[in-house]
Amino acid sequence: MNFWEFVVDRWNRLLVEALLHVSAVVQCAVLAALIGVGIGVAVYRSPLGSTAATALTSAILTIPSFALLGLLIPVLGLGVPPTVVALVLYGLLPVVRNTIVGLGGVDPAVRDAARGVGMSRLGVLTKVELRLAWPAILTGTRIATQMLMGIAAIAAYVRGPGLGVEIFAGLTRAGSANATNQAVAGTLGIVVLALILDGIFALIGRYTVSRGIRGQ
């Protein structure tokens, strides 16, 4: 069976796994974005806090994904829980770093002007600073999502959902019939999904970032 015959024959199964894969990645990227922005907001005014937050989230990325998933098994078991925790942890760095950079790059004169018209500290943060930092935050979330697309495949090691199941099954059956087709189908599926999500992020940026900010 050639590759295209294999894809047609397994189309329904591949489609379900692709949907599970992208669903897991998007949900974990949203969680990582919410947590990462919260951390960034909490520390961006403190050089020491910013350095510590960036260093800690960077350290997480140095942990091999197999090792982290393996360490989570005794605590969370197999399946979705360790997959979600690992993906959220790996997605934090780009969001935290870009949030700190985006908020730190807001012109102090803009903050002073906002306070001058009677805005509270929370109002300045939500209505001025976060809006100006949004392009950087969106870029961080976009990078995190692309990273997680690949890392999610390794979650098959702990019986996580997605196209990693096809890749692992193909690799473990190397040399047998259709093993290569199975691994290639899973890999190409992830690449296609990553490109689609990247295009969606580009559209989100186009419609949520004002022309004035894009032109800076």
Side-chain angles (χ1 to χ4, degrees), residues 162-181:
L163 289 165
V165 173
E166 295 295 324
I167 297 173
F168 270 72
L171 293 177
T172 54
R173 294 173 52 248
S176 61
N178 291 317
T180 300
N181 288 337

Side-chain angles (χ1 to χ4, degrees), residues 33-96:
L34 292 174
I35 297 171
V37 170
I39 294 172
V41 167
V43 304
Y44 81 100
R45 286 181 171 274
S46 166
L48 179 60
S50 298
T51 300
T54 303
L56 181 60
T57 51
S58 296
I60 293 172
L61 277 182
T62 66
I63 304 173
S65 50
F66 273 111
L68 180 58
L69 288 165
L71 291 171
L72 291 173
I73 291 175
V75 180
L76 300 174
L78 299 171
V80 173
T83 300
V84 171
V85 171
L87 292 183
V88 171
L89 289 175
Y90 281 127
L92 287 176
L93 176 60
V95 181
V96 171

Side-chain angles (χ1 to χ4, degrees), residues 1-12 14 181 185:
M1 184 182 296
N2 64 40
F3 176 71
W4 295 115
E5 290 175 341
F6 175 84
V7 171
V8 171
D9 184 62
R10 302 287 186 90
W11 177 250
N12 289 334
L14 291 172
N181 288 337

Side-chain angles (χ1 to χ4, degrees), residues 23-214:
S23 175
V25 168
V26 169
Q27 292 181 69
C28 291
V30 170
L31 282 174
L34 292 174
I35 297 171
V37 170
I39 294 172
V41 167
V43 304
Y44 81 100
R45 286 181 171 274
S46 166
L48 179 60
S50 298
T51 300
T54 303
L56 181 60
T57 51
S58 296
I60 293 172
L61 277 182
T62 66
I63 304 173
S65 50
F66 273 111
L68 180 58
L69 288 165
L71 291 171
L72 291 173
I73 291 175
V75 180
L76 300 174
L78 299 171
V80 173
T83 300
V84 171
V85 171
L87 292 183
V88 171
L89 289 175
Y90 281 127
L92 287 176
L93 176 60
V95 181
V96 171
R97 183 170 55 192
N98 278 38
T99 300
I100 292 171
V101 170
L103 291 172
V106 176
D107 190 339
V110 175
R111 294 192 187 98
D112 293 339
R115 292 194 190 98
V117 298
M119 279 191 182
S120 65
R121 175 70 190 89
L122 181 60
V124 173
L125 174 65
T126 57
K127 296 180 180 179
V128 177
E129 292 177 310
L130 283 175
R131 289 188 179 185
L132 292 175
W134 171 242
I137 294 171
L138 183 63
T139 298
T141 306
R142 184 176 182 176
I143 294 170
T145 303
Q146 294 301 303
M147 288 171 45
L148 298 186
M149 286 300 298
I151 296 173
I154 302 172
Y157 171 65
V158 293
R159 298 182 185 175
L163 289 165
V165 173
E166 295 295 324
I167 297 173
F168 270 72
L171 293 177
T172 54
R173 294 173 52 248
S176 61
N178 291 317
T180 300
N181 288 337
Q182 196 168 12
V184 171
T187 302
L188 287 180
I190 290 173
V191 171
V192 171
L193 290 176
L195 291 173
I196 292 172
L197 282 181
D198 197 56
I200 292 172
F201 271 102
L203 289 174
I204 292 173
R206 181 178 180 85
Y207 289 105
T208 62
V209 179
S210 68
R211 292 183 180 179
I213 296 176
R214 287 203 303 266

